[in-house]
Amino acid sequence: MQRIWPTDPSDGANDSPGDAVANHLRADRVVNDRPWVMANMVASIDGAATRAGRSGSLAGPGDRVIFHALREVPDAILAGAATVRTERYRPPKPRPDGVRPRLVIVSGTLHLPADLPCFEVEDPAERPIVLTGADSPVEERERLGDVAEVLVAGDLGVEPRAALAALADRQIGVVLCEGGPRLLGQFVAKGLVDEWYLTIGAVAVLGTSSRITHLDTDVEAQFRLRSVLHDGDDLFLAYAAVRPTNSAGIRTS
Ligand SMILES: NC(=O)c1ccc[n+]([C@@H]2O[C@H](COP(=O)([O-])OP(=O)(O)OC[C@H]3O[C@@H](n4cnc5c(N)ncnc54)[C@H](OP(=O)(O)O)[C@@H]3O)[C@@H](O)[C@H]2O)c1
């Protein structure tokens, strides 16, 4: 893993692979009125979010290094139900400080069988949180209550700001969104992604895969490039959201 940019040698450009990753992930995460939101995604060189239906083979081993290093940062890992089902999510490993990030699953149908690997957690305090809308089936909410903490965060499906407010109520200050494209698109569209990590694997897959965000309307959100690494042919990009701030330098959106 090597840094490509920034190139200033006094800023650690010749750092070891471990330092390169640590510098890539370093950011001032300021939590104001809502949890700080990071996103991590991988894409093919032609912009696809999946290869043969999964994301794992889009890039080489460096992507796993960044994936696991990022998971050491947040209090919660947020994922759409389709990603949890397709990628067979397991409970997140504890961070170096021993705290296990909460897995937070967003679902409307609540089609989440209780024997999914993500529910294999012994400590009830570490069970996944399932965020759903008030329009979801009540009997499914009750069923899932045996294996998860089920929270309503929105009237018609989950509303992203209500979702973050519900997580803030549980002392969750930093959230890592791992997609998929339909969930991430909603957070980007509302200006709720503060920091975005993108791996570009050196493969073109063509076909009908989604891009890494998916929304039916055009929305723009501006980001600033913060760091670029490479590992072999794969690129690792770190972006920070461009945000309006008030005269005290405090983020206003
Ligand atoms: N390239 C990458 O980095 C990357 C990352 C993650 C996933 N993926 C791939 O992306 C695919 C899955 O992504 P996806 O975009 O189809 O799905 P997704 O975003 O993972 O999940 C969509 C599901 O999440 C729930 N959901 C999302 N927004 C909701 C809302 N506002 N209210 C209520 N529920 C909501 C719904 O679940 P219910 O159906 O349960 O109602 C919906 O069907 C998989 O193939 C996965 O491998 C790629």
Side-chain angles (χ1 to χ4, degrees), residues 71-82:
R71 280 189 159 209
E72 294 184 355
V73 177
D75 304 312
I77 294 170
L78 177 73

Side-chain angles (χ1 to χ4, degrees), residues 46-141:
D46 58 339
T50 56
R51 182 182 189 181
R54 304 273 296 266
S55 60
S57 61
L58 285 168
D63 185 52
R64 299 315 286 171
V65 172
I66 297 288
F67 178 88
H68 290 297
L70 273 169
R71 280 189 159 209
E72 294 184 355
V73 177
D75 304 312
I77 294 170
L78 177 73
T83 292
V84 171
R85 289 187 288 250
T86 308
E87 305 277 351
R88 303 287 297 168
Y89 262 47
R90 304 197 63 78
K93 291 196 173 69
R95 302 183 310 212
D97 64 2
V99 176
R100 193 192 296 270
R102 290 291 289 276
L103 177 62
V104 181
I105 307 166
V106 176
S107 176
T109 64
L110 300 178
H111 288 163
L112 295 163
D115 59 358
L116 279 176
C118 64
F119 295 125
E120 289 166 11
V121 181
E122 279 173 25
D123 182 349
E126 294 183 338
R127 284 178 175 173
I129 294 173
V130 174
L131 293 177
T132 193
D135 54 339
S136 65
V138 174
E139 62 280 10
E140 290 298 297
R141 281 188 235 162

